Amino acid sequence: MINNFRNKWLRKLFIGIAISIPMCLFAQDDKQAEAENVPATMKLKLVVEDSVKTCKAIIMAGDKPLEGIQVKFYVKRFFGSLPLIANGKAVSTDETGVASVKFPNDLPGDANGTVIVSAKVEDDDNYGTFEAKDSVKWGTIVSTALQEEEWNERSLVGSGNKAPLYLIYSAGVIIIIVWGILLYVIYSLVKIKKAGKVKKV
Amino acid sequence: MNTEHQILTPELAEKQSLRREEMRADVLRPLEKIGMLGKLWIAFLVIILLIGCYAYYLQLKDGLIVTGLRDYATWGIYISNFVFFVAISLVGALISSVLRFTNFTWYRPITRIAEIIAVAGVCWAGLIIIVDMGRPERLLNLFTHPRLQSPILWDVVVVSTYLTTSVLLLYLPLLPGIAICRNTLTNKPKWQRWMYKFLALGWTGTEQQWKIMKRSIKMLCIIIIPLAISIHTVTSWLFAMTLRPGWDSTNFGPYFVAGAFLAGTACVIIGMFVFRKVYHLEKYITEVHFDHMGKLLVFLALIYFYFNVNEYFVPYYKMKGAEARLLNDLFSGQFAGLYWSAQLFGMFLPAVLLIFKKMRKPGIITLIAVPVVVFAWVKRYLIVTPILLNPYLPIQDVPESWMNYFPSWVEIAIVSASLAGVLLIITIFARLFPIISIWETLENEGIELEDLDKLNNEKA
C-alpha cells in the first residue's frame, strides 16, 4: 500500500519534471526572442573633445546599450566611401554602447569644408545591417575657384578648346606645310592636263 | 643602269622603241583577258567580303556585344588588324622613296607593287578603325568637336594625309602607263576605255608633262618619308600614351616603324612572286630583285630584333608588378606559343636563313616571307590584347567572360573580309593597270621614255 502510494507520487513527480523542463526552456527562449525583437538604433554624434574631432556611434536596443557590436566609420568621397580606419576595420561598442573614432584634420571636404560621415553595422548576427549618417564642417575647404582657374587653363588634359597654344601652332604649321605640298601636287595634275592640251593645239 | 645620258640617234631611238614595244606587250598582256582562275579568285574574295558585310550588319544591329570584346579587352583583332594594315602600308614609302634617295635603281620594277600594297593597306586601316567603334556615326564628332590633345585625332589626320600621299604617289608615275592603256587597250568595254581616258589626263608625253610629273613625284617622295614615320609613330602612340604595362614605353615609335618595314617588305616579296608567276614577268622581276629584297629583309629583321630586345629584355630584367604578370603571360603563360612563334618565324629564322644566298631564290624566299607576314599580324595581336588583360589593378570580381578574350565569328568574318578587301584592291588594280612601271623600268636600262616621246612628238 505504502509502496503503491510512493510509486504514484514518484510517477507524478517525474511527469511534472518532464513537463516543466521544456516549459522553462521555451519560456527562456521567448524571453531572449523578446529581447532580440527590440530593434537596435544607432545615433551618430560628431563632437570635438579636447580639440580632437571624434565620431561617436551610440547603439541601443530600446533603452539598453548594446555592447560588442562592430561598427565601421566612413566618409563620403566622390566615387565611394573612405573608411576612417585603415583597411576598413571595425570598432566594437563598449558597455555604454559607444564606439568612437578620431576624425583626421586633413581630409578634404566640399567648398564649405562639409563632409558626410556615416557609421555602419554590417550583418550583425542579432541586429542585421543598419547605419547612421551626419554631415559636419570638419573637412579642409577645397577652393572651387582654384579648380575653375585650373580648368580654364590651356593644358594637355584640358578640353578641346583649351588645347595648349604650342600644340595648336606646331600642329597647324605641319598640317599647312604638308597639305600645302599635297594641294600643289594635286594642282600639278591640272597643269599636266593643260600641258597635254597645249600639245594638241 | 646607264647613268650617262646618251645622244638619241635615229638608230638608237629605233632600237629603244622596239624595246619599249616589247615591254609594253609583256606588261599589257595580262590585262587583255582574265582567265578562269582569275575570275574564281575575285569571286572568292567577293564572297568573303560579303560575309564580312553581313557580320558588320549584325554588329551594327546588336552592338559590340556580338564580339568577344568586353570591359577589359576593349581592343581585339580589329585594332590588331588596323596596326597590321598601317604597318604594311609603310612599304610604299620604303621602296618608292627611301631606296630612291639612296641612289639604288634595282627597285624600280617593284615600286608599283609596293605602292598598291600601301594604298590598299591604308584604305582598309581607315575602314577597320571605324568597324571597331560601337557607334560609328559618332566618328563625325571627331571633326565637329576635335580635341587636338588626343592621339586619336592625330591618327585620323595622319592616316588621311598618308592615304592622299600614297594615292598620288601611285597615280602620278602611272600616268604614262594609263596613257598606254588608253592607246592600246581599245577593245575593252566602254566604261574601261572612258576610265583610261579620264585618268590619263590627256597624257601625250610632252616635255612639260614629263617635267611636271617628275618634279611632283620628287616632292611626294620627300614628304612621304616623314609622313610614313609619323603614321606609324602616331599609331604606336595610341598605345604608348596610355598608362598600361607593356605599352608604357618610349621605345614604341621606332619599334613599330622597324616592324612595319619588315612586314611590308615581306608582303612585297610575296606580291613580286605572285605577279611574276601569274603575269609571266620573269624578265622584269628577276632573281636579282629577290636577292636584294632578301638582303633588305635580313637588315630589317636585325633592326627589329634590336628593338625587340629593348622592348622585352629591359622590363624582363626588372620584372616589376603588372609588367611581370604580362611578361609571364607572354613568355610562359597562355600567349607563350604565339609569342615565341612570332619571334622565331616572324623575325629570327628569316634573318638567319636569308643570310645564305641560296635561300634568296624566288620560291624559297617567298616561303620564308609568308610566315613573316602571318606572324607580323600575330605580333600586333600580342601587342594589343595580352596587355589589356593584364591591367595595373588586378582583375577582381568580374564576370568570367571579361577575364579572357577570344574573337567571335563576327570579328573573324569582318577581319577576314578586310584582308580580302586588301587583296581585292590589289587584284582589281593589277587587272586594270600595268603592275610594272614601264618608264621607270626602262630608265633602269638606260632608255629615257621622255626622250622617245619627245622624238615621237616632234615627228608628229
Side-chain angles (χ1 to χ4, degrees), chain B residues 46-63:
Chain B
V46 169
I47 289 169
I48 294 180
L49 202 60
L50 289 175
I51 295 171
C53 289
Y54 174 68
Y56 187 54
Y57 158 74
L58 290 181
Q59 186 182 303
L60 278 180
K61 188 167 70 79
D62 300 329

Side-chain angles (χ1 to χ4, degrees), chain B residues 281-297:
Chain B
L281 298 170
E282 288 85 353
K283 262 197 278 182
Y284 306 99
I285 304 174
T286 63
E287 290 200 1
V288 174
H289 292 106
F290 285 94
D291 188 66
H292 286 317
M293 288 299 277
K295 286 177 190 165
L296 186 63
L297 202 81

Side-chain angles (χ1 to χ4, degrees), chain B residues 121-197:
Chain B
V122 77
C123 275
W124 278 94
L127 286 175
I128 202 77
I129 204 137
I130 298 170
V131 168
D132 188 63
M133 296 175 72
R135 296 283 301 273
E137 78 279 6
R138 291 187 178 175
L139 183 72
L140 287 174
N141 290 353
L142 258 179
F143 305 101
T144 52
H145 307 285
R147 193 172 167 271
L148 202 56
Q149 301 97 312
S150 164
I152 301 274
L153 187 67
W154 309 342
D155 208 48
V156 170
V157 171
V158 82
V159 165
S160 51
T161 310
Y162 189 72
L163 174 63
T164 312
T165 314
S166 298
V167 168
L168 284 171
L169 199 53
L170 175 70
Y171 179 49
L172 271 163
L174 190 61
L175 282 173
I178 301 173
I180 290 173
C181 291
R182 178 197 60 195
N183 299 339
T184 315
L185 302 174
T186 47
N187 57 342
K188 288 284 172 187
K190 200 177 172 186
W191 68 266
Q192 199 171 334
R193 279 183 281 135
W194 179 87
M195 183 188 71
Y196 288 140
K197 193 181 168 192

Side-chain angles (χ1 to χ4, degrees), chain A residues 155-160 162-164 167-168 175 178-179 181-182 184-186 188-189 191-193 195-196 199, chain B residues 146-149 157 161 164-165 168 171-172 175 201-204 206 208-209 212 215-216 219-220 223 457:
Chain A
S155 69
L156 284 174
V157 293
S159 57
K162 298 287 173 207
L167 193 67
I168 295 173
I175 290 170
V178 173
W179 274 96
I181 294 171
L182 291 180
Y184 179 76
V185 171
I186 292 167
S188 298
L189 296 175
K191 287 205 291 188
I192 287 174
K193 197 171 173 65
K199 173 65 198 159
Chain B
R147 193 172 167 271
L148 202 56
Q149 301 97 312
V157 171
T161 310
T164 312
T165 314
L168 284 171
Y171 179 49
L172 271 163
L175 282 173
L201 294 179
W203 183 270
T204 50
T206 64
Q208 186 70 5
Q209 283 182 320
I212 298 169
R215 191 180 57 207
S216 303
M219 287 167 80
L220 289 174
I223 62 162
N457 287 333

